[in-house]
Amino acid sequence: MDLEARSLWEDTAQVLMEFPVFEGVKDVDIAIIGGGITGLTAAMLLSQAGKNVLLLEAKTIGLGTTGNSTGNLYSVVDEHLSVLRNKWNADVMKAVVSSRAAAVSLIENTINRYAIDCDFHRQPFTLFAEHLTKEVETFIEDEYDALREAGLNPVILDDAGLPYQTKRALQIKDQAQFHPLRYVRQLASMISEKCEIYENSRVTELDEEKGILKTEKGQIKANHILMATHTPVGNYLIQTLLAPYREFGVAAPLNDPVFPGGIYWGLNDPKHSVRSFRNNGQNYVMAIGDRFKTGQHEDTEKYVSGLKSYLTERLPVSDLSYFWGGQQYRSADGLPYIGKHGERVYFMTGFAADGLTYGTLAAMIVSDQILGKSNSWEELYKVGRFTPVRSAKNFIVENIDVAVQYLKDVPWNVDPEFLSEIKPGEGKVISLDHEKVAVYKDPDWRLHIVSAVCTHMKCVVNWNQSEKTWDCPCHGSRFDVDGKVIEGPALQDLPVKKE
């Protein structure tokens, strides 16, 4: 598979404004790191309150996690409410649902306020089974009970109403879908008169105590620093409570049969979600799912192939030219970490696969904290909560996994002549002069050689063949073939090595 990763959202969203690179020195009330839905929502709320806000985006607005999402907005969670209720209790489950519903309402109100054209529609959310097992039947019963207790009025259906056979479905109404990249790009354009927005301005250093952020061309001093980066950039203990995963999405034109609107999550393994989208008179269908640990699978192409097979076996699609990858960080106890850390830094992380809604909610909570307002959900998601019983199993499993990545020796401890055996378009980690190096051979047979040691906490990166990236298996940092940081928590690039 030699396709370049590109989402359907990126191909159908116009670039409205290009924001400058940050240069110089500046003092501000609030510095926001990250220009996705979380950062931009916080920038909107805080600038509306009269705060002096500056936002730094490492790449271009929305092309991180937001532009590689599903565009689904819902009150439930991907771990499922019945699981959340068992891990916590019914009151916590209800609070999660009400907080996420409030976030979806804020998105809807923002769209109406600024007349944002992003295909926002209220839609049903449906869990469906293509074949029934005892486990699936039991889950549907438990989830129905949890949804009912949460006040979401679920109904059990004989089938999901999809254009292929399904056996049983569980549905709730009044959830939503939109075009995530159109939303954030238009929102950035609308609020840019009240706050400063910069693109291609990656933070390379952060002094939390002094409130100083450095980019390649400038320096900012801020009273408050918001990390809207999906996981905190830099080294923090909270990263031991976060497990990085990736999952892919694929999309294709679909002319017939008609695919209904709505959010559809499959219950059979491997789990996939499907949805439709219409652009300029053309219908599309997309499938997302089958997540895997970041940096721990060299053969990532099998996940893309699995998604393509899922669609082609059920629908008359052939032009599967869109595929993309998205990163998620899953917390140890099933809830995000949102709020103040230390004197001036704010974390917003651990959203799992629910980031569009949780990111908006995080911006609401943190903005209220900065403005001195009370927030009903601040305590529920606080960064400093300690939940040893609810976190223990996941914490132990994930951190044993991280330890294994530190201790293992990659299997390419070979002579430099092995460089000639790397095929064009492939990457390998090898031992060269007693040092781990990451080697990529491009289609023109040029070698790109960088250190294989992640600059975050010294794990050895692994090759991601589908996306042509070097991914860290410990805390999820990702780098391009020339060692440039794609996403944190790493702040520094992988050092370039000479051939």
Side-chain angles (χ1 to χ4, degrees), residues 31-33 38-39 42 206 208 224-242 329 331 335-351 358-367 369-370 377-378 380-385 456 489:
I32 300 174
I33 309 173
T38 307
L206 173 62
E208 180 178 340
H224 305 279
I225 299 171
L226 279 61
M227 292 196 184
T229 49
H230 220 37
T231 186
V233 294
N235 296 343
Y236 292 97
L237 183 62
I238 197 172
Q239 287 154 352
T240 66
L241 300 174
L242 298 169
Y329 292 84
S331 72
L335 295 180
Y337 300 102
I338 301 169
K340 195 171 187 179
H341 169 79
E343 291 299 316
R344 68 181 79 244
V345 169
Y346 296 80
F347 290 161
M348 296 175 275
T349 187
F351 300 157
Y358 267 142
T360 302
L361 174 63
M364 295 163 62
I365 292 172
V366 166
S367 296
Q369 287 181 329
I370 291 173
W377 307 295
E378 177 180 349
L380 175 64
Y381 299 110
K382 69 179 181 181
V383 171
R385 69 179 184 269
H456 176 232

Side-chain angles (χ1 to χ4, degrees), residues 44 73 104-121 177-179 183 186-187:
M44 175 189 72
L73 305 167
V104 176
S105 293
L106 176 63
I107 293 171
E108 185 173 23
N109 293 337
T110 300
I111 290 167
N112 292 333
R113 174 177 181 171
Y114 291 111
I116 295 175
D117 179 13
C118 61
D119 300 291
F120 180 92
H121 297 286
Q177 291 176 315
F178 71 159
H179 192 306
Y183 174 75
Q186 291 178 55
L187 180 59

Side-chain angles (χ1 to χ4, degrees), residues 126-132 136 140 157-171 259-260 264-268 272 274 310 314:
T126 306
L127 298 168
F128 69 93
E130 294 185 64
H131 52 271
L132 288 175
V136 169
I140 290 174
L157 305 172
D158 291 333
D159 68 79
L162 295 173
Y164 49 87
Q165 188 176 20
T166 56
K167 297 291 188 182
R168 190 78 54 83
L170 180 58
Q171 187 176 87
F259 199 98
Y264 295 89
W265 283 8
L267 295 175
N268 301 115
H272 301 107
V274 287
Y310 181 83
R314 290 160 178 79

Side-chain angles (χ1 to χ4, degrees), residues 1 246 248 292-293 295-306 323 463-468 471:
M1 182 185 67
R246 289 192 73 69
F248 292 121
F292 57 93
K293 283 297 294 288
Q296 297 188 23
H297 299 267
E298 185 184 4
D299 183 18
T300 55
E301 290 187 328
K302 68 181 182 181
Y303 297 102
V304 180
S305 297
F323 94 94
W463 178 242
N464 176 340
Q465 180 65 28
S466 294
E467 298 174 279
K468 303 292 190 289
D471 298 353

Side-chain angles (χ1 to χ4, degrees), residues 103-379:
V104 176
S105 293
L106 176 63
I107 293 171
E108 185 173 23
N109 293 337
T110 300
I111 290 167
N112 292 333
R113 174 177 181 171
Y114 291 111
I116 295 175
D117 179 13
C118 61
D119 300 291
F120 180 92
H121 297 286
R122 287 286 178 172
Q123 296 282 16
F125 174 99
T126 306
L127 298 168
F128 69 93
E130 294 185 64
H131 52 271
L132 288 175
T133 63
K134 183 62 177 177
E135 182 181 7
V136 169
E137 289 182 306
T138 299
F139 169 79
I140 290 174
E141 292 174 2
D142 291 344
E143 191 68 6
Y144 173 86
D145 184 65
L147 290 165
R148 183 185 55 78
E149 187 171 11
L152 293 172
N153 301 316
V155 293
I156 295 178
L157 305 172
D158 291 333
D159 68 79
L162 295 173
Y164 49 87
Q165 188 176 20
T166 56
K167 297 291 188 182
R168 190 78 54 83
L170 180 58
Q171 187 176 87
I172 58 174
K173 302 289 188 181
D174 203 32
Q175 306 307 296
Q177 291 176 315
F178 71 159
H179 192 306
L181 194 52
R182 287 181 187 169
Y183 174 75
V184 294
R185 282 181 173 173
Q186 291 178 55
L187 180 59
S189 177
M190 293 295 180
I191 68 174
S192 60
E193 292 184 2
K194 290 189 174 182
C195 67
E196 298 180 63
I197 298 175
Y198 296 93
E199 293 180 317
N200 300 302
S201 302
R202 181 168 60 85
V203 173
T204 57
E205 293 183 41
L206 173 62
D207 187 327
E208 180 178 340
E209 184 177 345
K210 296 179 180 179
I212 293 175
L213 304 88
K214 292 184 179 180
T215 68
E216 291 181 356
K217 297 184 178 181
Q219 176 177 297
I220 302 106
K221 189 175 189 303
N223 296 322
H224 305 279
I225 299 171
L226 279 61
M227 292 196 184
T229 49
H230 220 37
T231 186
V233 294
N235 296 343
Y236 292 97
L237 183 62
I238 197 172
Q239 287 154 352
T240 66
L241 300 174
L242 298 169
Y245 285 83
R246 289 192 73 69
E247 64 180 356
F248 292 121
V250 299
L254 179 69
N255 295 317
D256 186 66
V258 175
F259 199 98
I263 305 164
Y264 295 89
W265 283 8
L267 295 175
N268 301 115
D269 290 326
K271 292 181 172 61
H272 301 107
S273 71
V274 287
R275 65 160 292 186
S276 60
F277 170 67
R278 185 172 177 84
N279 182 67
N280 291 333
Q282 176 63 60
N283 294 318
Y284 294 87
V285 63
M286 65 181 74
I288 303 98
D290 199 8
R291 68 174 182 261
F292 57 93
K293 283 297 294 288
T294 301
Q296 297 188 23
H297 299 267
E298 185 184 4
D299 183 18
T300 55
E301 290 187 328
K302 68 181 182 181
Y303 297 102
V304 180
S305 297
L307 288 168
K308 289 183 175 184
S309 296
Y310 181 83
L311 287 182
T312 56
E313 289 168 4
R314 290 160 178 79
L315 297 165
V317 294
S318 56
D319 182 17
L320 285 152
S321 55
Y322 293 108
F323 94 94
W324 62 95
Q327 187 115 318
Q328 54 183 259
Y329 292 84
R330 310 183 75 84
S331 72
D333 64 8
L335 295 180
Y337 300 102
I338 301 169
K340 195 171 187 179
H341 169 79
E343 291 299 316
R344 68 181 79 244
V345 169
Y346 296 80
F347 290 161
M348 296 175 275
T349 187
F351 300 157
D354 308 316
L356 293 172
T357 304
Y358 267 142
T360 302
L361 174 63
M364 295 163 62
I365 292 172
V366 166
S367 296
D368 283 346
Q369 287 181 329
I370 291 173
L371 298 172
K373 298 179 180 180
S374 63
N375 187 289
S376 302
W377 307 295
E378 177 180 349
E379 189 70 16

